[in-house]
Structures are given as C-alpha cells and as structure tokens.
Amino acid sequence: MTSEEAAEEISRLTRELERHNRLYYVEGISEIPDNEYDEMFRNLELLEARFPELASANSPTRRVGGEPIDGFEQRAHDVPMLSIDDVFSEEELGEFFARLQKNLNAEIIPVTIEPKIDGVAVALHYDAGELAFAVTRGDGAVGDLVTENVRTIRNIPLRLGDDAPAWLEVRGEIFMPNEKFAEMNESREAAGLSTFKNPRNATAGSLKLLDSREVARRPLDFVAHGRGRIDGVEPRSVKEFHQLLKRYGLPPNQPIWEAETLEQVVTAVRELDVARHSLPYATDGAVIKVNDVADQEQLGYTSRAPRWAAAFKYPPEQKETVLHDITVQVGRTGNLTPVAELEPVLVSGTTVRRATLHNQDEIDRKDVRIGDTVIIEKAGEIIPAVVKVVFEKRPEDSVPFNLFEAVGGICPSCGEPVERPEGFVALKCLNRTCPAQSANQIKQFVSRKALDIDGVGSIVAEKLVERGVVKTIPDLFVLNPESLAGLNLGTEEEPRMLGAKNAVKIVETAKRARTAPLHRWLYGLGIPQVGESAARELARLHRNFGELLESPVFPELSQMKVGQRKEDNPALVEYQIAVEVGPTVANSMMTFLQSSSGIVLLERLAEMGIDPQSENYAPIPPSAEEAGGGCAGKTFVITGTLSAPRNDFKDRILSLGGKVSGSISSKTDYLLAGEGGGSKRDKAESLGVIILSEEDFQSLVGGESTEEGEGEVEQALLL
Ligand code: IVH
C-alpha cells in the first residue's frame, strides 16, 4: 500500500468511525453490529501503526489514552469562566425576572430553563473543527490543560466535520453517570482500592489523573451548556446555540424548557424538579438564561456572573420516615457518632437506610427518640441527616437516647473508656490502637504521599486490621508473605484471597519503605496538624526521631502567644521556621512524642532497626547569597521538558529555600522553562517574569551545569 492509499483509507475509516460514534453517543443508534465497528477500529489502528506519520492526535483510536505526563500545563481562558448568581426561592426568582423586565424594558422575556449539572466544568476548544485543547474551569481565569484526558471521553467529538467554524469553544460539565459511579466504586472496593465519596469527586479525581490510559477506563460523560470564544458563526440565541451543538455532534444539555413570563418560568422550574431525578447525573438547580444573545449583551455582566442568567437552587429533598434504632459508629479520628437506623425511604433517587445524628448535643436539641417519626434530608451528595422530629407522631413508648450510656462508657470498637475532651462536642475514643482508628491510620501511612506501600489500598488496610494481622504501623514491617496471601478480602460466604503475587509485592514495598525519608514518615503517622508541608519543615529542622524527641524548637514554639512572631524570638530566629510549623504543630508533636502510644511506636521502630532520616536537613538556612544562590525565598514555576523529572527540580528548589507554584502570577520570580511550555512562557513574558533555561537555573543555584539532572539534585540535597 502506498502512503497516498493509506492516507485515503485512514481518512475513510476515521470518518466512518466518527459517524458511528456520533450516531451512537448523540442519537443512541447503532447502525452496524459491534464486531464490524471493532474491525474498522482495528484496521485503523494497524494502518496508523504502519504509517505513524499519518496518525492524527484526534484519531478515534486515541480514545484509549497515551503516555502518562508529569503534570498539567495551565492556560488562561480567552473569555473568563464565570459563575451564575443563585436564587433560593420562587420569590427571588420573581425578583430576577422583574430585573430582566426592567432592564430590557419589556414585559415578555424569552428565556430557557435547563438543569444545573453538578459536574466538573471544562472548556473544549475546536480549531477549524479539530479538538485543539481542553481546559478545566480552574479559578475561572486560568485552568489546567486536560486535553489528553478529555480525548478519552467517548461522547466528546474529536472532529466536528467539514462545515465547522474557524473556532468553537464549547463549555460544559464532565460527569460520571450515577449508576456507572456505583458500579465503579463497587469494583474498586472489590479490588481493594479506595472508593470515591460521590460522582463529582470521582469525576474530578479522574480528570486529574496524569495517565490518560487510566482515564479512558473511567466511565466519564460530557454535556454541553455554554459557549466561550466563537469565530465564524454567530448563534443568536440559546436555542440556536443548541442546534449548532447538535449539528456538530456535541451533546447539549437536556431537557430544556422555553418560557417568556414569570408564570411559565415557575412552571418549568417545578417540572424540572420532578424530571431531574431521572437524569443520569446529580442536579441541584435549574439554570434560567435569557434566550436572545442581543438581550444578553444589553444586560451584560457583573465581575463574577452574567446578569442574564440565574440558577434556581432546589431545596434539599426531605422525607418522613421512622427511626427504628440508634447505633454508634467510631470514626477515623476516634469520634463516636450516633447513627439513625431508618425505615428505608427513597430520597433524591437513592434509598436511605441510615442518617447521621452528629452528636449528643444534636440529639438533645432536636429531642430525637427511638421510635420517633423523623424528617430526613439529603443535601447534594452529603450523607443524609435527621432534620427534625414529627412530634405529633411520637409513640407512647418512644425511648430517649444517651450516647455515653448506650456504649456503657466504652468504645464499641476496642472496649477502652471513652471521654468527651474539653471543648469538644463528640465523645472520643482516645486509644490510638483502637481498630476503628488503626484502619484509618494504616490507610494514611500507606498512602501515596506517605510511605506509598503498593498494594495496601483502603480495603486491604481495613481487612488487615479487622483480621487482627496488623494492629499498629510497625506490624506492617513484619508481615509474612505466606500468611498474607491467604488474607480474605471478601466475606465469609464469598471469600476472595489477596493472593501470593500481591502479598509478595506488599512485603517488598514495605521493606523499601523502612528507609523512606523522615518527612514521609512524619506525614504517614497521622499526627494531628502535621500535614505534608509541616512534615517537610519538621524534617528540615530535625535529622531523625531522636532529634525530634529532643527538639530545641518545640518548647519555644509551643509557648508562643497569638500575634507573636517567630522572628522576634531570639531562640527561634536563626531557624527561619516556615508558617506551616507554629504553636499548634509543636503542641501536637509534643503530645504525640510524650504519649504512651507514641513512645511505644518509636521504641518498636528502633527495635526493628527502623530509623528514618531527613533528606532535607538544613536547620539553619544559609543566607540567600551563601547557598542556593538566588533560590532562597524566591517563587518558581516549572514548565516544559527538563533533563530530569520536574519533581526533582521542585525538591531541589525547596531544599534551597525557594518556593514552587503551579501557576504564574505577578508574585512569580522565575519561570524555569524546559523545552515546550508555550503558554506559561507567554504568560511569564507578558508579566515580565524572568525565564530561566535549565543552564541558567544551574548557574543561579551555584551548581555545575550538567546533563545529569539527578546526580545534581542529590548533591544539592546534601548541602
Ligand atoms: S451556563 C456564566 N448552564 O455552573 C454562565 N452553567 O455556578 C454560563 N453549570 O461555571 C454557564 N450546569 O460550570 C450553565 N446548565 C448549565 C450549567 C452550568 C452547571 C456550571 C458551570 C458554571 C457554574 C456556575
């Protein structure tokens, strides 16, 4: 086959596949059986493999994702992505409509009403009909370029066809259909992976993945609802815009109502409130838009939202049901939470069996008793809550509830006494080795930002604790692969074993984690208030746990008063301690180091020969001129391809007292730019930010300029 013939065949197959995609995803029609489609797809793949120069980035075969990336580039929106003003009642809706009438000087105002989708907003840019790039909303002015991830979403066309306008920016929401979300969570749970709280979080999390091949496996969908920059066509109304979307195979937001009086708007908003429960995504409102673009322009914008649109927010759905019992759950931080066990009811599309009662104060305030009829509510995706008691329906034999008495003063999970610490509303189990808490501690410890122990997802962590294999963190380092392989991740009736391969992997990774740097350990231990940045700063100030136990700075810090500055304390000034570490962190560290569980933990680690060391130890930072060259105190943004992973450069800058930010602003001092990195370069230029090549950077920080980025970094870390 000649190159010309291949080009022709590629183009034919591409068009055919695109046509079928469109039929399927927009109109719900399958014209050909799946195997015929698959064959065309495979033929296209084969041809593209043979003639890579003919393979387009927007080929239907690219839906499966590509090479993972280091991070997302950012991009400024040509037209800012604004919010919509909310209205919370029909009265406020009336006021909005009256404003439209007044400002447009008309009685009749044609508007459209459509669902407000609770998804993740993106802008898709089509250059002459080709998907050029996709940007998240970000802060409305600048967002992340998530093009590769977006390309994997099947109902987003990669090409709009020959009659596409010169430029079309379509805005909409990416979402995970409710049912697919439930299925995905179930299979993640079965695989021992962490689950997502709700479809929106799952969507946001999926879009942030750096590996688009993984995104391709997530069941994401798109629906279009707005426009950004358009060149070459001029839709004159919302309705015309929707027709345009359909013409190009972009899925428009549906259903849509038309109205021109307030009465009609109210009717539509009420109808939508019923219809929305059968939509595949979560909705929390109705968006009312002035239909005519000319009217929209006349009304204009405030700094944050258009004056021609409003979002009617539906109040959370409430239902009446019977509270049969109150049980007690021990949360991850040891809080005891009373939970209402309810007669199952359907609320906002899902069956609710349990609802939180928060704490004893809430129970008392609402006077909730076992046997009561209660009103429950589900606001968005949040856990349902008991709103109030229907006192008229209170039975004679209703039983008041007291949390402390119900648990007999002991934790239902570990049997140790519970307390209500001063200033807290919740009863707490203070036993750090309580199984309810240790599962969560283990989860934190093995998480990616902590010790990153491959294979121990949240289900495995829970089972390890539940089956008594692991009680505290050190237990993870004496796991035996043989007994681990038999860990049952399923139930008694339906057992599912971890397996030998996973077991070996876990043991091996745990072995490596023994020598992980101190800051990862500090973060992984889940000491209250010690987040990632605080852990890093603590590791800068101390070499190891031994030094932390004898810390010269904790006692000073813990005595600081509100409004006092660390720089004013002669004992602290030379350490130049970052804001992440202050009295709260110091107190929390001291509490941990002096607690019996903390002492036992450190002793056990020492017995096992585990003594994590700091990799960024530099307690007394040299002045800016001495080391780190111009790095200290400066804010860097990194872009483009460099000779080593960006994270290495980031670590190096941090270790030299600099800061690294994800986006360029007037506060940025330097842009470290490798190859590529176009949009950040442009922005840096326009803001007058100094652009450094990798070589410039090396000379700035006083290192030798070398090709071996990694060796360099290690050297810098030893400084
Ligand atoms: S129209 C500036 N229509 O809600 C107005 N937005 O709260 C143009 N949203 O940023 C947006 N559903 O991401 C529009 N049917 C809908 C929407 C919708 C959800 C999002 C959108 C917007 C945010 C504002």
Side-chain angles (χ1 to χ4, degrees):
M1 193 184 261
T2 67
S3 174
E4 284 82 55
E5 283 164 352
E8 215 163 276
E9 182 61 4
I10 286 180
S11 147
R12 189 188 69 82
L13 288 168
T14 303
R15 276 159 198 272
E16 266 305 281
L17 287 166
E18 279 169 353
R19 195 171 69 81
H20 288 297
N21 280 348
R22 221 198 111 176
L23 277 172
Y24 183 77
Y25 287 109
V26 183
E27 291 168 40
I29 305 169
S30 314
E31 238 182 42
I32 50 167
D34 285 1
N35 59 344
E36 262 177 55
Y37 180 93
D38 293 345
E39 194 181 320
M40 277 201 275
F41 193 91
R42 265 196 310 277
N43 286 343
L44 180 58
E45 273 182 328
L46 286 173
L47 275 175
E48 286 176 341
R50 262 179 69 194
F51 298 92
E53 69 285 0
L54 299 176
S56 138
N58 282 333
S59 163
T61 58
R62 290 290 289 265
R63 300 259 189 212
V64 291
E67 288 297 305
I69 54 170
D70 283 347
F72 296 110
E73 292 278 321
Q74 292 192 312
R75 193 186 158 100
H77 294 290
D78 297 334
V79 182
M81 282 180 92
L82 299 176
S83 332
I84 312 179
D85 284 334
D86 291 330
V87 298
F88 292 98
S89 61
E90 288 182 359
E91 193 189 335
E92 283 183 25
L93 183 59
E95 288 163 12
F96 165 72
F97 202 79
R99 270 199 305 279
L100 296 180
Q101 288 173 316
K102 179 167 165 263
N103 291 334
L104 291 172
N105 196 18
E107 266 307 295
I108 297 289
I109 315 283
V111 296
T112 57
I113 298 98
E114 62 185 55
K116 183 159 196 297
I117 306 142
D118 194 12
V120 175
V122 284
L124 311 178
H125 290 253
Y126 291 91
D127 182 354
E130 293 268 343
L131 178 68
F133 54 88
V135 203
T136 60
R137 181 175 198 273
D139 61 3
V142 180
D144 286 336
L145 276 167
V146 288
T147 319
E148 292 312 314
N149 289 352
V150 159
R151 247 195 262 281
T152 67
I153 300 172
R154 309 278 157 157
N155 77 337
I156 292 182
L158 302 178
R159 285 213 185 88
L160 302 181
D162 294 336
D163 61 341
W167 198 273
L168 179 63
E169 177 189 350
V170 173
R171 293 172 173 185
E173 306 289 303
I174 295 180
F175 65 95
M176 192 176 286
N178 295 336
E179 275 177 27
K180 296 271 172 53
F181 163 76
E183 283 167 22
M184 184 183 88
N185 253 1
E186 268 171 37
S187 53
R188 284 180 69 88
E189 180 146 15
L193 297 167
S194 59
T195 53
F196 291 100
K197 215 167 77 191
N198 57 46
R200 217 200 87 86
N201 282 6
T203 307
S206 301
L207 272 186
K208 282 202 197 109
L209 291 171
L210 297 176
D211 187 346
S212 50
R213 287 170 301 200
E214 181 55 33
V215 186
R217 287 191 276 272
R218 303 278 173 97
L220 299 177
D221 247 327
F222 172 77
V223 47
H225 58 52
R227 48 176 287 183
R229 180 187 149 197
I230 305 187
D231 302 331
V233 266
E234 259 176 65
R236 281 164 308 178
S237 64
V238 173
K239 267 158 45 191
E240 268 190 40
F241 179 65
H242 273 243
Q243 279 152 9
L244 189 101
L245 291 174
K246 282 194 194 140
R247 171 141 62 103
Y248 296 128
L250 284 151
N253 192 14
Q254 286 167 339
I256 181 163
W257 281 257
E258 289 170 31
E260 36 181 54
T261 63
L262 176 61
E263 206 188 344
Q264 289 168 353
V265 175
V266 170
T267 309
V269 164
R270 288 183 190 165
E271 282 175 14
L272 174 53
D273 193 15
V274 179
R276 70 194 180 102
H277 297 304
S278 0
L279 292 172
Y281 39 75
T283 49
D284 58 353
V287 181
I288 299 104
K289 297 176 185 169
V290 169
N291 185 44
D292 272 12
V293 172
D295 287 348
Q296 291 182 358
E297 278 164 6
Q298 191 178 335
L299 291 159
Y301 299 80
T302 67
S303 62
R304 53 178 298 275
R307 288 203 184 87
W308 47 263
F312 180 93
K313 289 310 215 33
Y314 293 113
E317 197 187 347
Q318 300 195 335
K319 276 280 169 74
E320 199 176 289
T321 187
V322 177
L323 186 153
H324 291 304
D325 197 7
I326 298 176
T327 54
V328 181
Q329 239 178 29
V330 189
R332 44 145 134 229
T333 50
N335 285 352
L336 270 58
T337 307
V339 178
E341 304 288 339
L342 307 165
E343 178 63 30
V345 269
L346 201 66
V347 192
S348 314
T350 52
T351 305
V352 173
R353 294 187 169 78
R354 314 176 81 202
T356 176
L357 286 161
H358 302 292
N359 53 53
Q360 185 69 47
D361 286 3
E362 284 287 300
I363 295 179
D364 294 345
R365 197 172 56 77
K366 294 174 186 155
D367 186 15
V368 180
R369 301 185 189 174
I370 297 169
D372 269 340
T373 294
V374 292
I375 304 282
I376 60 162
E377 147 180 312
K378 212 169 127 211
E381 292 308 320
I382 319 167
I383 314 163
V386 172
V387 184
K388 62 176 183 200
V389 173
V390 186
F391 289 112
E392 307 87 76
K393 297 196 178 170
R394 170 165 284 173
E396 296 269 306
D397 57 353
S398 71
V399 186
F401 180 85
N402 180 285
L403 184 54
F404 191 83
E405 284 167 18
V407 296
I410 60 167
C411 168
S413 174
C414 69
E416 294 283 313
V418 290
E419 285 180 32
R420 182 169 170 168
E422 224 183 279
F424 275 85
V425 286
L427 269 186
K428 240 174 151 46
C429 165
L430 298 176
N431 171 15
R432 278 179 60 90
T433 57
C434 168
Q437 294 179 63
S438 38
N440 285 299
Q441 272 174 23
I442 303 288
K443 276 185 218 169
Q444 158 108 352
F445 186 75
V446 299
S447 68
R448 199 172 47 78
K449 288 178 182 165
L451 278 291
D452 197 10
I453 301 183
D454 224 354
V456 190
S458 62
I459 301 300
V460 178
E462 252 156 44
K463 294 291 169 193
L464 285 171
V465 173
E466 198 181 302
R467 307 257 188 269
V469 184
V470 171
K471 289 199 178 67
T472 58
I473 285 161
D475 298 339
L476 281 169
F477 296 94
V478 292
L479 289 173
N480 167 333
E482 281 88 56
S483 58
L484 197 57
L487 182 75
N488 180 5
L489 301 177
T491 56
E492 298 294 321
E493 303 83 54
E494 257 187 87
R496 205 168 50 77
M497 302 306 163
L498 178 71
K501 220 170 103 191
N502 285 333
V504 169
K505 199 164 116 194
I506 291 174
V507 172
E508 299 268 290
T509 341
K511 204 185 274 171
R512 251 179 286 139
R514 293 169 69 103
T515 52
L518 182 65
H519 69 268
R520 284 185 175 257
W521 275 83
L522 281 171
Y523 172 70
L525 292 179
I527 302 163
Q529 315 296 338
V530 181
E532 256 187 294
S533 321
R536 195 174 259 284
E537 181 67 353
L538 291 171
R540 179 181 72 80
L541 298 165
H542 308 88
R543 255 184 265 258
N544 46 37
F545 282 117
E547 287 199 3
L548 281 158
L549 282 163
E550 313 259 293
S551 174
V553 296
F554 293 158
E556 291 291 337
L557 278 173
S558 68
Q559 274 161 31
M560 267 173 55
K561 302 254 163 11
V562 184
Q564 244 177 354
R565 291 165 9 127
K566 287 175 259 194
E567 298 79 75
D568 300 337
N569 180 337
L572 291 176
V573 62
E574 60 177 350
Y575 296 107
Q576 296 180 36
I577 300 171
V579 285
E580 285 83 1
V581 170
T584 329
V585 170
N587 274 315
S588 182
M589 280 303 296
M590 289 181 13
T591 308
F592 167 74
L593 294 166
Q594 287 158 13
S595 71
S596 54
S597 52
I599 293 169
V600 171
L601 175 83
L602 296 184
E603 276 176 1
R604 263 197 82 192
L605 292 179
E607 277 166 22
M608 300 166 92
I610 298 178
D611 185 15
Q613 299 295 317
S614 168
E615 70 166 15
N616 58 326
Y617 181 68
I620 300 176
S623 66
E625 303 78 47
E626 275 167 37
C631 223
K634 300 284 189 207
T635 301
F636 287 75
V637 171
I638 311 176
T639 189
T641 314
L642 297 156
S643 65
R646 275 191 218 162
N647 266 345
D648 289 359
F649 284 90
K650 180 174 170 183
D651 282 346
R652 180 159 183 203
I653 293 166
L654 295 178
S655 72
L656 293 171
K659 284 179 236 141
V660 177
S661 155
S663 59
I664 298 191
S665 69
S666 55
K667 294 199 189 85
T668 313
D669 295 296
Y670 297 113
L671 175 71
L672 167 55
E675 240 160 84
S679 67
K680 281 194 185 151
R681 230 177 236 279
D682 295 348
K683 185 146 187 217
E685 263 165 23
S686 71
L687 288 173
V689 170
I690 301 168
I691 303 177
L692 301 176
S693 67
E694 195 171 331
E695 228 166 66
D696 299 336
F697 173 73
Q698 304 291 11
S699 52
L700 177 81
V701 301
E704 284 163 49
S705 169
T706 134
E707 293 284 298
E708 295 157 51
E710 259 173 76
E712 267 293 286
V713 172
E714 266 175 31
Q715 203 184 326
L717 293 173
L718 293 173
L719 277 176

